[in-house]
Amino acid sequence: VHRLDGERPLAGRRALVTAGPTHEPVDPVRYLANRSSGTQGYAIARLLAEAGADVTLVSGPTTLPDPPGMHVIRIETAREMLAACTSALPCDIAVCAAAVADWHIAAATQKIKKTDDGRPPELRLSPNPDILATLSRSASARPRLVIGFAAETEHVIAHATAKRLRKGCDWIVANDVSPATGIMGGTENEVTLIDASGAEHWPRLDKTQVARRLVARIATFMHTQPE
Ligand code: CTP
Ligand code: CA
């Protein structure tokens, strides 16, 4: 029985959360990365677990400790993240909070050396799999509720609304990650929740408070939408 008013409204539900950056190796000592700290995704995973969900957290490299009471899978690359997510299916709820690298490099097996002519190496990028789109479009095991993030630096609502449709997810949590906002790597977040019916702006909140609100929304959705 799932009770919304109880302390554990998501008891019996399985949730998958991706968090953190991915690292895409260039050679044995170098990688491509981004500024994600994993804070927002880890907070969502922790609040889902506190709400009673059975949580798998698939995390890129972060300095954060494993949150208690969940299954944590540590990965480095986007391709590893996809494989770990696939292994965690089926689930009821998927929250893709990771800042997945969009590209990877065919990594050199030995350290790339400078050459005498001073010419820099050319890094040839290949596209990474899109984990959010893959989960959203899964024919056999689509989670009932798939939530993505949209990290934008301009035209936040327009880009995020288009992204929701392109990815095929149910909700998008949009935010402005311009350096001036301090959100990327910071402790606060200011998001707009976008679903099929529109956009709802939330005030600037601690990332834990954003997670608390989002998990409350998830619990309400799971209790009010038909299976
Ligand atoms: N995402 C993902 N796998 C990828 C890229 C993105 O799962 N290879 C997810 C992110 O976790 C996030 C959402 O997709 O929930 C949007 O990520 P974002 O980088 O904003 O979108 P992109 O489609 O990569 O578009 P762009 O970077 O060009 O804005
Ligand atoms: Ca991207």
Side-chain angles (χ1 to χ4, degrees):
V1 198
H2 305 292
R3 284 181 58 85
L4 181 54
D5 53 354
E7 282 194 344
R8 294 167 63 81
L10 293 174
R13 311 291 193 181
R14 284 168 55 87
L16 167 65
V17 179
T18 71
T22 65
H23 286 184
E24 308 295 333
V26 171
D27 69 16
V29 298
R30 303 184 176 100
Y31 56 82
L32 277 184
N34 63 66
R35 296 186 191 282
S36 169
S37 64
T39 311
Q40 186 63 82
Y42 276 53
I44 292 166
R46 186 162 53 76
L47 272 288
L48 285 168
E50 283 178 16
D54 176 358
V55 179
T56 299
L57 171 62
V58 179
S59 175
T62 72
T63 58
L64 303 172
D66 286 4
M70 68 186 69
H71 182 210
V72 182
I73 306 177
R74 298 266 179 183
I75 52 80
E76 271 193 32
T77 70
R79 289 159 291 164
E80 290 164 3
M81 182 172 274
L82 176 62
C85 289
T86 305
S87 78
L89 296 178
C91 65
D92 302 293
I93 303 151
V95 183
C96 292
V100 184
D102 292 323
W103 305 282
H104 68 269
I105 296 168
T109 52
Q110 303 300 332
K111 184 182 170 193
I112 300 172
K113 302 296 287 178
K114 287 181 289 185
T115 54
D116 290 338
D117 62 10
R119 217 205 296 255
E122 286 194 4
L123 302 181
R124 200 179 290 266
L125 303 176
S126 308
N128 270 334
D130 190 316
I131 295 149
L132 175 60
T134 303
L135 294 173
S136 298
R137 301 235 149 79
S138 164
S140 56
R142 188 192 192 278
R144 236 173 93 203
L145 180 60
V146 182
I147 305 173
F149 275 69
E152 309 291 348
T153 58
E154 58 177 0
H155 312 302
V156 176
I157 305 299
H159 281 166
T161 301
K163 202 167 269 181
R164 192 183 80 83
L165 297 172
R166 200 165 63 237
K167 306 271 191 173
C169 60
D170 301 299
W171 301 352
I172 282 268
V173 182
N175 61 9
D176 184 340
V177 293
S178 305
T181 66
I183 282 171
M184 206 78 177
T187 60
E188 291 183 329
N189 205 352
E190 185 173 334
V191 308
T192 300
L193 181 64
I194 297 173
D195 68 7
S197 65
E200 180 185 294
H201 184 79
W202 293 359
R204 197 173 179 99
L205 297 165
D206 190 86
K207 285 181 178 175
T208 303
Q209 295 306 324
V210 172
R212 200 177 299 282
R213 273 203 188 198
L214 186 65
V215 170
R217 279 301 180 86
I218 292 170
T220 302
F221 176 90
M222 296 306 288
H223 284 265
T224 55
Q225 299 295 309
E227 299 274 335

